[in-house]
Amino acid sequence: MRSLLFVPADGGKKLDKAMASGADAVIVDLEDSIAPDRKELARQAALDFLKSVSGKKERPRLLVRINGLDTGLTDADLDAIVAGAPDAVLFPKAEGGGTVAHLDAKLTAREAIAGLPEGAIKILAQTVESAAGLFSAGTYRNSSARLIGMTWGPEDLSSELGAEANREAHGMLTEPYRLARSFCLFGAAAAKVPAIETIHVDFRNVEVLRRDTELARRDGFAGRLAIHPAQVPVINAVFTPTPEQIEKAKAIVAAFAAKPGAGTVGIDGKMHDRPHLTRAQALLARIG
């Protein structure tokens, strides 16, 4: 999943636009974009939408962002949307592997009621949205077979910290949030799942989005959350390997295949070692 586009569950035509945006995944939101007095209506809208599109052959992945465990709304969200068989839920304010295991158990019970195979609905965890989430970022490994990725969120975190801002005037993250971003990246690596970069709120500034997304790819993120359809083409382009990158990866894999016992190989006058092979294999795996 290169691009994951948020859309409010009660967004009406915005849901259709999201499906046609080119995003690899559409996140139907029941959390921050839904007012408290509209939660029940939004749950029904989410279920109706899932049922109307889940059977289509050509579609993005469908996720639903539920409300966090601390809100008291999680059970009602799951009761409503599991019957729609989303591909995954986006789990906000996750605070360690134990909370993912807790959500796993809730999903298992509801899958059984809905007649779905156990484990059908995966979990993408928003893991560093609080101070507690930061300190528990390394605890997700083996927490659940449902876990397919980890992301993070500076907005809720900055609210908890009482910060005046989480980005500099030029758009780059301030120091506390660079640290939080790194914890998510390291936590995902420890859990052996992809790390997904957070949103960029200035959706009209395409160049800043592109630069920031290129830095995310450089550092090891595999995709990015989006809040506007205009962000999707930029994110997809940045996270799509170029033909040159693909050919280089193939050359590295081929060189090691020709010398199975080698620790290093030379290609075009440059030495490549086993970590280069691992990265090349991962890149080729992403493109199938």
Side-chain angles (χ1 to χ4, degrees):
M1 295 184 290
R2 300 164 299 174
S3 54
L4 302 89
L5 176 62
F6 279 107
V7 60
D10 61 356
K13 292 183 178 180
K14 290 181 180 179
L15 290 162
D16 297 326
K17 290 180 179 178
M19 292 292 287
S21 67
D24 291 338
V26 170
I27 303 171
V28 181
D29 189 25
L30 293 174
E31 196 209 17
D32 286 346
S33 66
I34 305 298
D37 62 349
R38 291 190 59 82
K39 295 290 187 184
E40 189 56 43
L41 289 173
R43 292 183 187 113
Q44 186 59 51
L47 177 60
D48 292 343
F49 175 70
L50 290 170
K51 287 183 174 180
S52 70
V53 300
S54 61
K56 294 182 178 180
K57 291 182 179 179
E58 299 294 329
R59 64 165 177 81
R61 287 196 189 185
L62 298 171
L63 287 74
V64 178
R65 180 163 69 169
I66 58 175
N67 290 275
L69 294 175
D70 63 342
T71 66
L73 301 173
T74 310
D75 287 339
D77 289 346
L78 296 176
D79 289 341
I81 60 96
V82 164
D87 297 305
V89 293
L90 179 58
F91 177 26
K93 300 179 183 65
E95 294 184 345
T99 62
V100 170
H102 187 177
L103 179 58
D104 183 315
K106 290 178 179 292
L107 285 167
T108 296
R110 288 164 176 83
E111 285 169 339
I113 293 170
L116 297 174
E118 183 176 337
I121 301 173
K122 307 305 181 183
I123 298 172
L124 174 60
Q126 289 187 279
T127 56
V128 188
E129 291 193 297
S130 65
L134 184 147
F135 287 111
S136 60
T139 66
Y140 289 87
R141 187 170 184 175
N142 299 325
S143 60
S144 168
R146 297 180 191 269
L147 187 66
I148 58 170
M150 291 167 54
T151 185
W152 72 289
E155 305 307 323
D156 285 295
L157 182 57
S158 60
S159 176
E160 180 177 325
L161 296 180
E164 295 178 0
N166 53 43
R167 290 185 182 269
E168 304 283 4
H170 51 70
M172 303 304 290
L173 291 165
T174 61
E175 182 59 33
Y177 307 96
R178 289 197 294 270
L179 177 66
R181 174 182 181 272
S182 296
F183 266 71
C184 175
L185 188 61
F186 289 127
K192 299 187 181 303
V193 296
I196 305 296
E197 179 64 289
T198 191
I199 63 170
H200 200 283
V201 295
D202 187 4
F203 62 85
R204 292 184 177 87
N205 196 329
V206 174
E207 288 311 310
V208 172
L209 171 67
R210 185 183 304 278
R211 184 173 70 248
D212 195 64
T213 306
E214 287 172 346
L215 294 176
R217 183 199 64 207
R218 177 202 67 184
D219 291 345
F221 286 91
R224 179 160 213 164
L225 304 178
I227 58 170
H228 192 278
Q231 295 180 318
V232 170
V234 176
I235 294 171
N236 283 349
V238 171
F239 283 108
T240 299
T242 66
E244 292 77 15
Q245 290 171 326
I246 294 171
E247 288 307 311
K248 181 179 179 180
K250 288 180 177 178
I252 292 172
V253 171
F256 275 100
K259 298 180 179 179
T264 61
V265 296
I267 302 173
D268 297 331
K270 295 182 179 180
M271 297 304 297
H272 296 77
D273 56 17
R274 289 280 168 176
H276 290 101
L277 174 61
T278 300
R279 289 197 293 270
Q281 290 169 329
L283 185 150
L284 295 175
R286 289 203 305 271
I287 64 173

